[in-house]
Each structure stands twice: as C-alpha cells, then as structure tokens.
Amino acid sequence: MNTKRLALRFKPYALELKHAFTLAGSSRTTTPVMLTELEYEGVTGYGEASMPPYLGESYETVTRFLAALDLGQFSDPFQVDSILNYVDHTAAVNCAAKASVDIALHDLLGKLMGQPCYKMWAYDSALTPNTSFTIGIDSREVVRQKMKEAAPFKILKVKLGRDNDQAMIETIRELTDVPLCVDVNQGWHDRQAALDMIYWLEEKGVVFVEQPMPQTALDDMAWLTQHSPLPTIADEALQRLDDVKKAHGVYAGINIKLMKCTGMREARKMIKLAKALDLKVMIGCMTETSCAVSAAAQLSPRADWADLDGNLLIANDPFIGVQVVDGKVVLNDGPGIGVKPRYSFM
C-alpha cells in the first residue's frame, strides 16, 4: 500500500509596494498574497495567490478554500489533471487560490524530475521576450522618479485612463524614446475619442493598447479593434480558457495572468488556442513575489509580449527567481519554476 501523500501548507503575506500603484479607478500601497507549499516525500514546491482588490479574493476566502482541500487523497503528484480538476471543481471562483496550488504542483513536479518547467515543455529559453516595466498614473515629479528605475528596460507599460493621459505620455517622452505600451484598465468610454487617442499614441511610439474600454462594451470594442492602427489587448475582459474564443473578433490579442486563469496548466491551453485563432499573446502578472512571476515566466517563450515586472515593484520579495537582464526575461536552470526562498516563511 502506497502511504506517500501530498501535503499542503499556506500562510498569508503582505507585499509592500515601492510606490503607490495607481490605476484608472484605484490606488494602493500593499497587496495581500497567500504563500503555499506542496510537499511530497520531503520535496517542496512553492506557490502563491496574489489578491489585488478587483479579483474579489481575500485572506479569508483563500484560507477557506485551501483549508477545504484534501490533497492528501492523492498519492501520485504526476496525476496532474486529476489533482487540478479536483481543485478546480471544489468551488466556482477562487481562481488565485487555485493558481497557488497549480504553481506549487508544477514546481514540485519539476523538482522531482530535476528539470525547469520550460524544458519539460520543450520551450526554447532563447525566445523569451523583453518584459515591460510599469509606470503607474502619477504626478510629473513621481513619473520622472519612476523613469530612473525603468532605465534598463526596452519597453515600458504606461497606465492611462484618467484625465492626464497625454501629460503622462508627454512626460515620459521627455525622458526616453523606448517603445511604450499602454494599459487603460477600461478607462475610456467613447469609441471615437478612444480611436482618436490611439492614433495620437501611435505617433508617440506606442505599440499596443491594453483594455481601452469596459469589458462589457463588446460592440464598441470590436469596432475600435477593426479601426485601430494598434493591436488591442484583452485583460479584464479575459479570465479563463472559455474567454479566449469570446475575445476573437473583439480584440487583437489577450493578456494571460495565472491569478485569473487558475495557473500554469490552463495558461498553456489558452496560449495554444490563442495561437490557433491568430490572437497575439501577452503573459502578464499582478503585483506578485518572484514565485508567481517565475511561474509565468516559464510560459514566456511562447508569448509575443511579456509584462512580468510584478516582483520588481515590491520591497519585500521573499523569493529569488527569474531575472530581468538588459530588459529581457532570463530563465534559469533551477528545477520547477526556478525559485528559492530567501528564508523559511511557514
């Protein structure tokens, strides 16, 4: 009789942001996360659930979800579909909580096999893209300070959607001519005004526009995509695999985030479907530790763009993982997702 069993542990942790993170409709200085460990025969995989406010998850909801799981019923960690189907069907929501188990399981499997996830999937690490570095909405003075931190990056993501959009872009263009992408976080509501703004942004060296209009404005968004000189990327409008088909014909591409799609297994399926539908793919993140960012980075060789700077925006990262060198995502040869804890946090 096989007595080997999976054992799950978890602990809350608060991320401290280096700067206030301001979007079209909110601002914050911290992000709650739940750190997870999945152990099998003395080998430990690490995971994480990041809980920015708009996801609707909290320490309470994630704790309740994880505490209800009985992963001890599984004696073989390689039964990935059985394990993750069980986790997914435990509740209808809790996507970030599910991702924390998915990431820990993939990390564990990689360690048991002695290989990074990207090598297990036969991805070419040389194909990782440059990652953008995020410049949140702020005053000219603070934007200038953030630009100093962004100096090594080859592409910048600028948050827009308030009444100072052009001022944000003009301030940045005073300091650098690197390519920009913009994330409007559903902040524009008039499609003609949005199109006019996109033409102006194209002149300023912007390469794509993320979630320019509300996710419910499907007809306006499809019209905007049809007429836009720049690719439009779905973010808030896209969560899980079923949403990829819905994005086709409405957006030019999708932004996949592990915290929204339940983790690495589903993210890989989303990439495959998006490629089949000729949609551009971006791998993104929330404000996260190097744990979740390194997990997402394993998928980045299959992406057109990466926005994997969430760990660079925090002051208290408990992990060492994926690095950004001269603006490019650089995967290491560490097994699993390639992270090491700086200290014991359980």
Side-chain angles (χ1 to χ4, degrees), residues 35-104:
L35 303 178
T36 57
E37 292 183 350
L38 192 58
E39 184 177 348
Y40 180 80
E41 285 294 284
V43 180
T44 300
Y46 297 104
E48 171 185 359
S50 176
M51 298 167 277
Y54 82 91
L55 283 186
E57 297 191 58
S58 65
Y59 287 135
E60 181 181 2
T61 62
V62 173
T63 297
R64 186 185 311 121
F65 177 86
L66 295 177
L69 295 178
D70 177 21
L71 297 184
Q73 67 183 287
F74 297 101
S75 59
D76 182 0
F78 289 92
Q79 295 175 340
V80 176
D81 284 340
S82 295
I83 295 168
L84 295 182
N85 285 342
Y86 160 72
V87 171
D88 197 11
H89 294 148
T90 297
V93 287
N94 299 104
C95 289
K98 294 172 183 178
S100 74
V101 179
D102 171 286
I103 293 168

Side-chain angles (χ1 to χ4, degrees), residues 7-304:
L8 176 67
R9 297 182 293 272
F10 51 93
K11 184 176 182 178
Y13 190 78
L15 303 184
E16 300 169 1
L17 305 184
K18 294 178 181 177
H19 299 284
F21 195 66
T22 302
L23 310 177
S26 65
S27 183
R28 67 180 189 274
T29 58
T30 62
T31 298
V33 301
M34 188 73 75
L35 303 178
T36 57
E37 292 183 350
L38 192 58
E39 184 177 348
Y40 180 80
E41 285 294 284
V43 180
T44 300
Y46 297 104
E48 171 185 359
S50 176
M51 298 167 277
Y54 82 91
L55 283 186
E57 297 191 58
S58 65
Y59 287 135
E60 181 181 2
T61 62
V62 173
T63 297
R64 186 185 311 121
F65 177 86
L66 295 177
L69 295 178
D70 177 21
L71 297 184
Q73 67 183 287
F74 297 101
S75 59
D76 182 0
F78 289 92
Q79 295 175 340
V80 176
D81 284 340
S82 295
I83 295 168
L84 295 182
N85 285 342
Y86 160 72
V87 171
D88 197 11
H89 294 148
T90 297
V93 287
N94 299 104
C95 289
K98 294 172 183 178
S100 74
V101 179
D102 171 286
I103 293 168
L105 180 60
H106 281 86
D107 191 36
L108 174 64
L109 293 178
K111 288 173 176 173
L112 291 172
M113 296 180 69
Q115 292 289 336
C117 291
Y118 73 87
K119 285 190 177 181
M120 292 193 296
W121 300 329
Y123 291 173
D124 185 351
S125 62
L127 298 180
T128 59
N130 291 326
T131 180
S132 56
F133 183 83
T134 301
I135 307 295
I137 300 170
D138 222 313
S139 66
R140 286 179 178 267
E141 292 72 21
V142 175
V143 169
R144 289 191 179 97
Q145 174 60 36
K146 291 178 180 179
M147 288 298 297
K148 295 178 182 178
E149 300 172 17
F153 293 84
K154 307 302 183 185
I155 183 170
L156 302 179
K157 174 185 275 195
V158 185
K159 294 290 188 177
L160 300 181
R162 290 196 172 181
D163 58 1
N164 64 337
D165 288 351
Q166 291 193 353
M168 283 284 297
I169 299 298
E170 288 170 345
T171 298
I172 291 168
R173 277 291 173 250
E174 291 173 4
L175 302 168
T176 183
D177 59 359
V178 300
L180 305 177
C181 54
V182 300
D183 186 359
V184 188
N185 292 115
Q186 309 181 83
W188 297 342
H189 298 274
D190 180 275
R191 70 184 194 181
Q192 184 60 56
L195 183 61
D196 293 342
M197 185 65 179
I198 291 174
Y199 271 102
W200 183 84
L201 291 170
E202 182 190 29
E203 295 175 356
K204 297 296 181 180
V206 171
V207 296
F208 67 81
V209 180
E210 188 177 345
Q211 200 62 58
M213 303 192 72
Q215 58 181 301
T216 54
L218 295 179
D219 291 342
D220 284 345
M221 196 58 242
W223 179 90
L224 185 61
T225 296
Q226 181 182 359
H227 293 86
S228 173
L230 301 177
T232 59
I233 308 298
D235 183 6
E236 285 88 346
L238 179 117
Q239 184 165 351
R240 302 199 58 177
L241 182 62
D242 289 345
D243 297 320
V244 178
K245 285 186 178 179
K246 297 175 186 175
H248 184 238
V250 180
Y251 298 87
I254 61 173
N255 184 1
I256 300 172
K257 297 180 179 178
L258 301 187
M259 295 302 129
K260 294 195 299 180
C261 75
T262 73
M264 302 167 76
R265 180 183 67 149
E266 185 145 328
R268 291 186 68 212
K269 294 178 181 179
M270 294 172 74
I271 292 172
K272 184 176 181 179
L273 179 56
K275 296 287 185 181
L277 295 173
D278 199 27
L279 288 166
K280 295 289 187 180
V281 172
M282 177 163 63
I283 296 295
C285 64
M286 310 296 185
T287 45
E288 302 166 351
T289 76
S290 286
C291 177
V293 170
S294 295
Q298 302 297 311
L299 300 157
S300 66
R302 296 288 291 142
D304 298 287

